[in-house]
Amino acid sequence: MGKFILCSGTRAEEPLRIEMTDTVLYTIEELCYYFYQHIYLITEEFFNESVIEWLEIQVKHKELADKLRQLKRNEGTVKDMVISVLCSTDYYTEREMKDLLVIMNKMEGLPLIKRRKLKADIYVGYERYMFAAKEYEAILNSKEASILNAEEYGNLLHNYGIVLLNIGSGAEAAMKFKEAYQSNQNPETLRQYLIVLCMMKDETLLKKELEEMAIPESLYDQVKNVVEVAYSMELDNSYHHMYRKLSELKEHSDVPRFFQKTECILQKCIDEYRNKVS
């Protein structure tokens, strides 16, 4: 998890699996560390009965579990629940907990829609693209989206475009980048839009957009160079090497090894894709 964690409590036989970040936890100290590192992802929904039962049964913190249930019955805040967990162990110092409180207080002052955007942006950072897509869609379809200014709205669409590109929807990603640029006027968003258009290889659409948006030739040349470099780098990645190996096996009629290698590559692709969209 990125830090050496000295755990003195009970180690769970069955770990707590946190799907949103693909994380597995075995101790109360690891849960505390998770809170500290992912505080923007922690909502009321996190403290469901399965998490509370894990604390009670797997890591033997019955008193803490009872307190969390009581807080839920009394509509306690996320901050109350997080602090209750942190105070159940000596993993963090009082100073560190106060620092975390400052962050949570700032979060409470943010409108819900901006907190949701933070959450979605963090999902993107963890390559949990389906979680991010659901959050962005919910934000865009909500009435509260009207409180976002043009730049904020455009930045949200920009990030949504990144998500769509990573789950294999190039045409939709291009539409989001274009719409985003119309709102935020960010040169990076325009650059991303042109890169996606080049990747789509739709020369008619690309020419039309270059003319209508009056794209400087220097910017287009820069984007073309980025795409060409990306394609050349693609030739050196591990997948391309595997594909070349398959071609060699096919040319030499090595059928058993060909199918064995194909199965390994497919499984690797499936696992990586599921991780991104689940």
Side-chain angles (χ1 to χ4, degrees):
M1 295 178 65
K3 177 179 179 180
F4 179 75
I5 302 177
L6 181 62
C7 301
S8 58
T10 302
R11 188 178 192 276
E13 291 184 11
E14 293 292 331
L16 177 64
R17 300 182 183 277
I18 303 176
E19 186 181 6
M20 67 179 73
T21 54
D22 194 26
T23 304
V24 177
L25 308 175
Y26 283 90
T27 67
I28 187 76
E29 289 88 353
E30 289 179 343
L31 179 60
C32 290
Y33 180 74
Y34 184 85
F35 284 166
Y36 210 88
Q37 300 299 317
H38 304 86
I39 194 61
Y40 289 105
L41 291 177
I42 308 303
T43 63
E44 290 86 350
E45 291 77 17
F46 182 90
F47 293 94
N48 55 46
E49 185 57 29
S50 64
V51 170
I52 295 174
E53 284 186 357
W54 181 81
L55 287 166
E56 180 178 29
I57 297 170
Q58 291 295 326
V59 293
K60 314 303 181 187
H61 275 266
K62 186 179 187 310
E63 186 176 336
L64 172 60
D66 290 341
K67 184 173 183 179
L68 292 175
R69 290 190 180 102
Q70 184 180 359
L71 284 169
K72 286 176 69 69
R73 285 194 298 269
N74 297 335
E75 298 184 352
T77 65
V78 173
K79 182 167 63 177
D80 292 333
M81 296 181 192
V82 169
I83 292 300
S84 295
V85 174
L86 294 180
C87 288
S88 68
T89 177
D90 296 327
Y91 186 63
Y92 283 110
T93 65
E94 183 179 352
R95 178 71 263 169
E96 288 172 320
M97 284 194 278
K98 284 181 178 178
D99 290 342
L100 191 61
L101 272 171
V102 170
I103 295 173
M104 287 190 283
N105 287 335
K106 288 180 180 178
M107 287 170 57
E108 285 185 344
L110 286 175
L112 176 61
I113 191 168
K114 292 190 177 182
R115 278 186 279 153
R116 294 194 72 173
K117 181 184 179 297
L118 270 175
K119 184 178 177 182
D121 293 346
I122 292 170
Y123 282 145
V124 174
Y126 278 93
E127 298 186 349
R128 307 298 283 178
Y129 296 119
M130 193 55 70
F131 282 106
K134 289 178 181 177
E135 287 292 334
Y136 287 133
E137 287 170 9
I139 294 169
L140 291 168
N141 293 328
S142 69
K143 294 179 181 178
E144 291 80 8
S146 60
I147 75 169
L148 298 173
N149 61 38
E151 183 179 3
E152 290 171 332
Y153 188 75
N155 291 343
L156 190 151
L157 287 169
H158 177 109
N159 290 354
Y160 191 21
I162 292 173
V163 168
L164 291 171
L165 192 59
N166 276 280
I167 60 178
S169 186
E172 286 186 73
M175 290 173 58
K176 295 302 177 189
F177 282 127
K178 183 177 182 179
E179 190 180 348
Y181 180 65
Q182 290 169 343
S183 289
N184 65 11
Q185 292 296 297
N186 188 328
E188 180 57 26
T189 300
L190 175 60
R191 184 169 168 273
Q192 290 294 332
Y193 177 52
L194 296 176
I195 288 173
V196 175
L197 289 182
C198 289
M199 289 169 59
M200 290 169 61
K201 298 183 178 179
D202 185 335
E203 294 298 329
T204 302
L205 176 60
L206 179 58
K207 183 178 179 182
K208 174 176 171 291
E209 292 297 271
L210 291 174
E211 292 175 356
E212 290 186 359
M213 299 179 75
I215 305 297
E217 188 173 342
S218 59
L219 175 58
Y220 178 51
D221 288 341
Q222 181 189 64
V223 167
K224 279 198 304 182
N225 183 60
V226 168
V227 174
E228 288 170 2
V229 169
Y231 279 133
S232 65
M233 290 175 64
E234 187 70 13
L235 297 177
D236 291 326
N237 73 19
S238 59
Y239 283 111
H240 190 74
H241 288 306
M242 286 189 283
Y243 298 149
R244 282 195 306 208
K245 182 64 176 177
L246 283 178
S247 297
E248 292 173 6
L249 293 172
K250 185 177 179 181
E251 288 174 6
H252 291 86
S253 300
D254 192 342
V255 176
R257 290 186 62 199
F258 174 83
F259 282 108
Q260 183 182 32
K261 195 72 174 177
T262 301
E263 187 175 347
C264 290
I265 293 173
L266 286 174
Q267 191 57 54
K268 182 177 180 181
C269 292
I270 290 169
D271 290 343
E272 290 187 3
Y273 182 76
R274 281 177 177 168
N275 183 58
K276 289 182 178 182
V277 303
S278 61

